[in-house]
Amino acid sequence: METVTSLSELRAARAELPEHVGIVPTMGYLHDGHLSLAERARDECASVVATIFVNPTQFAPEEDLDAYPRDLERDLGLLKEVGVDLVWMPALKGMYPDEFQTWVTVDDLTQVLEGTSRPTHFRGVTTVVAKLFNGVQPQKAYFGQKDAQQAVVIQRMVKDLDFPIEIVVCPIVREADGLAMSSRNTYLNPEQRQAATVLYRSLSAAKAAFEAGERQAEKLRAVVAEMVDAEPLAQLEYISCAHPETLRELQGAVERALLSMAVRVGKTRLIDNLEVGR
Ligand code: AMP
């Protein structure tokens, strides 16, 4: 497994890779969720490029950029074990040189859900992903359903800007008790870690209600909201029942929906989602 930092090194190494190439963009501090994307890429592509870059432009000033966990040595060991061929770890100045002023923005899809609480987040994501795509020139790119809105936004960007890249969205990998794996779970103390199970518990309760015949979007949201309210260490930021592709909030009877939520447990902000009616 080769590792590179500069764009010129990346391009030289990329030119040697057998086609097709799959990319797995990450911010590092890898867990089994990230590794499931790399494994899928390895199974579907001749070569796999993973990227590790804690992208400052997708963090707001008050967010956890400085605290974001990092363990490069461990990450590289895990990627090697999975069979990744090349790891690109761009330097900050390499990605955002002085005078940088060009942004990729996706309009409506980024104004809702996560975009409401994090108005500059997706501009950072789409800009860095466009740059990662331009550098690596992959045929396929692997993203997690954990960040459901991100996957929808990236798919829109790829269509709108004619990137010749197939986006593959992989299922959420969870801990044994249902908590979606996330690098941010490491912020939780034992009591908070226990409380954090309320995200998946409440989404699962809404899904069970749907499967038992409940179709009203308002009711499905209420099932989640009531369960989170009952957990003293958790504060609900939003619960959405939206169309899985347009992300428009649904009212009345639904046939298919993306239930997604953000919850604060202490200072840690956690997200999760579940689709119903697939
Ligand atoms: P991040 O390092 O948080 O930027 O995540 C990198 C990629 O891994 C994104 O496409 C995420 O959606 C995906 N990912 C993160 N957590 C999980 C998970 N628990 N299951 C599946 N994919 C995940």
Side-chain angles (χ1 to χ4, degrees), residues 25-27 31 33-34 37 143-144 146-147 150 171-173 181:
T26 83
M27 298 204 298
H31 51 64
H34 298 112
L37 309 188
F143 291 89
K146 163 82 184 347
D147 299 279
Q150 171 173 279
I172 302 177
V173 177
M181 288 191 184

Side-chain angles (χ1 to χ4, degrees), residues 155-188:
Q155 281 167 317
R156 186 75 258 152
M157 176 187 84
V158 160
K159 280 200 192 101
D160 289 351
L161 297 184
D162 309 318
F163 281 100
I165 300 173
E166 181 190 337
I167 304 300
V168 181
V169 183
C170 304
I172 302 177
V173 177
R174 299 180 178 280
E175 303 286 357
D177 63 5
L179 178 65
M181 288 191 184
S182 164
S183 308
R184 289 188 168 100
N185 292 348
T186 159
Y187 300 149
L188 302 169

Side-chain angles (χ1 to χ4, degrees), residues 82-97:
V82 168
V84 166
D85 300 284
L86 176 62
V87 183
W88 182 26
M89 300 172 292
L92 185 57
K93 283 285 180 202
M95 205 42 117
Y96 297 110

Side-chain angles (χ1 to χ4, degrees), residues 10-202:
L10 168 75
R11 290 208 162 123
R14 163 66 178 90
E16 301 298 317
L17 291 177
E19 310 286 344
H20 288 354
V21 171
I23 186 175
V24 181
T26 83
M27 298 204 298
Y29 211 72
L30 304 179
H31 51 64
D32 286 351
H34 298 112
L35 298 179
S36 74
L37 309 188
E39 281 163 8
R40 174 94 173 258
R42 186 203 52 206
D43 293 347
E44 295 183 356
C45 306
S47 313
V48 180
V49 181
T51 65
I52 302 177
F53 182 63
V54 182
N55 175 37
T57 64
Q58 70 190 68
F59 291 78
E62 73 282 6
E63 290 181 353
D64 57 342
L65 174 63
D66 294 335
Y68 199 83
R70 291 161 167 88
D71 190 343
L72 212 49
E73 217 168 293
R74 181 171 172 275
D75 289 349
L76 293 176
L78 292 168
L79 292 173
K80 190 172 175 186
E81 250 171 61
V82 168
V84 166
D85 300 284
L86 176 62
V87 183
W88 182 26
M89 300 172 292
L92 185 57
K93 283 285 180 202
M95 205 42 117
Y96 297 110
D98 295 339
E99 306 299 328
F100 181 90
Q101 52 188 295
T102 303
W103 298 94
V104 177
T105 59
V106 173
D107 282 348
D108 295 356
L109 291 171
T110 66
Q111 309 296 304
V112 294
L113 306 175
E114 288 297 286
T116 311
S117 325
R118 308 182 75 193
T120 58
H121 172 69
F122 285 111
R123 176 181 95 147
V125 170
T126 42
T127 300
V128 84
V129 169
K131 287 174 66 84
L132 296 172
F133 285 177
N134 282 335
V136 174
Q137 309 259 312
Q139 280 86 9
K140 287 188 165 194
Y142 294 81
F143 291 89
Q145 176 66 16
K146 163 82 184 347
D147 299 279
Q149 186 176 13
Q150 171 173 279
V152 171
V153 167
I154 301 278
Q155 281 167 317
R156 186 75 258 152
M157 176 187 84
V158 160
K159 280 200 192 101
D160 289 351
L161 297 184
D162 309 318
F163 281 100
I165 300 173
E166 181 190 337
I167 304 300
V168 181
V169 183
C170 304
I172 302 177
V173 177
R174 299 180 178 280
E175 303 286 357
D177 63 5
L179 178 65
M181 288 191 184
S182 164
S183 308
R184 289 188 168 100
N185 292 348
T186 159
Y187 300 149
L188 302 169
N189 69 29
E191 294 74 38
Q192 293 171 333
R193 170 65 186 77
Q194 178 53 38
T197 59
V198 77
L199 283 90
Y200 185 63
R201 276 191 284 122
S202 59

